[in-house]
Amino acid sequence: MKNLIFLLFFVLPFCVYAQFDTGLKIRLSPITMLDDTPRLRAGFEYSNQSKWHYGLDVGIGNSVLNKTRLKDMKWGNDYSFFEIRPEIKYVYRTSTSFLLYCSAELFYLQMTDHLLSGEFQKDKQRVFVTYDEADFKKQKTGMHLKTGADFNLFKRFYFDVYGGIGFANRTIAYANVVNPIENEGILFVEWGPKPHLFEGQDLILHFTAGFRISYLLWKNKN
């Protein structure tokens, strides 16, 4: 986060290119490769000389694509992640080198894995289970309201930084549990929240923040 703030307030003012074109962009969100559920997220954005911009991002993760990040994490060799995020932006301020916007983003994600030697809290029960093997599945569906700034770095290259808040319907489930042992009580968790250890469906407050790097693939004619 400190590096991102430094980039925004010290680097960008010196490298902004004086032009902000509309058209079709391809974009990449590199920070998702470092997430607790790592994946590669990329997409596109289209605008046509108006205040409305339309985008779609797709994220994919697996044990091959994210091998380095998954090393020493809780996830296993069967780690699989998929997400899709349609977005609509409204530009409320623009100049030759940047624009400010607010947006609405819908999202759906699903993650699965085959876990070895772990534990989880059973849904709506004061019982937690230890196991040798189990299939894990997480799904989230929700919406974010975001605000952001998109800077023209150089010619066709852009840097989009954003943040927002919304809600998500989250479902976590374990299946095909091998050698389950049930224990009475509530699972004790150290070192911060670990929602993947608790079965069930919950409506939760959801935050988002990050940045995207874009390239203007096709430019509208003025």
Side-chain angles (χ1 to χ4, degrees):
M1 182 60 70
K2 290 183 180 179
N3 292 335
L4 181 58
I5 293 173
F6 176 82
L7 181 63
L8 286 175
F9 292 99
F10 292 95
V11 178
L12 286 178
F14 296 100
C15 62
V16 169
Y17 183 78
Q19 186 173 350
F20 207 99
D21 296 308
T22 59
L24 181 64
K25 294 179 184 176
I26 55 173
R27 61 193 191 187
L28 179 68
S29 303
I31 199 170
T32 60
M33 297 291 285
L34 303 177
D35 198 87
D36 286 339
T37 50
R39 68 274 195 190
L40 175 64
R41 185 194 295 171
F44 69 88
E45 180 179 322
Y46 176 74
S47 58
N48 185 22
Q49 305 291 349
S50 74
K51 291 184 176 293
W52 297 99
H53 295 200
Y54 308 92
L56 179 69
D57 285 347
V58 175
I60 298 174
N62 55 52
S63 57
V64 176
L65 183 63
N66 306 105
K67 182 178 181 181
T68 302
R69 174 60 179 155
L70 290 170
K71 186 179 180 181
D72 299 325
M73 292 185 72
K74 54 185 173 287
W75 311 123
N77 293 329
D78 295 314
Y79 173 82
S80 177
F81 190 102
F82 172 78
E83 67 176 342
I84 186 167
R85 295 172 178 264
E87 180 182 18
I88 182 170
K89 293 181 176 181
Y90 177 76
V91 177
Y92 61 86
R93 182 179 178 184
T94 186
S95 75
T96 56
S97 57
F98 73 94
L99 59 79
L100 303 179
Y101 67 85
C102 54
S103 73
E105 174 189 67
L106 301 176
F107 62 91
Y108 167 81
L109 65 84
Q110 177 176 290
M111 186 209 135
T112 60
D113 202 352
H114 184 73
L115 303 180
L116 303 177
S117 184
E119 56 189 3
F120 66 91
Q121 186 78 39
K122 296 192 73 172
D123 184 22
K124 298 178 182 178
Q125 298 183 41
R126 292 182 60 85
V127 174
F128 67 92
V129 178
T130 59
Y131 59 84
D132 290 340
E133 299 181 37
D135 291 331
F136 172 83
K137 183 176 182 180
K138 177 177 73 173
Q139 286 184 322
K140 278 185 187 178
T141 305
M143 176 181 179
H144 291 131
L145 296 178
K146 299 160 55 179
T147 185
D150 198 355
F151 298 87
N152 184 201
L153 294 180
F154 179 72
K155 293 185 178 180
R156 291 176 178 258
F157 288 93
Y158 297 81
F159 182 89
D160 179 2
V161 60
Y162 62 86
I165 189 172
F167 65 90
N169 183 40
R170 181 182 64 198
T171 302
I172 293 174
Y174 286 79
N176 302 319
V177 182
V178 176
N179 295 329
I181 300 175
E182 294 191 350
N183 306 269
E184 292 188 5
I186 303 298
L187 189 62
F188 177 71
V189 177
E190 292 184 289
W191 310 113
K194 297 179 181 179
H196 70 282
L197 298 179
F198 296 83
E199 273 194 322
Q201 183 174 346
D202 299 287
L203 185 64
I204 59 173
L205 195 64
H206 207 264
F207 297 91
T208 184
F211 66 90
R212 293 177 287 211
I213 301 171
S214 303
Y215 177 78
L216 186 63
L217 192 64
W218 175 75
K219 181 169 65 173
N220 287 324
K221 295 180 179 180
N222 294 326

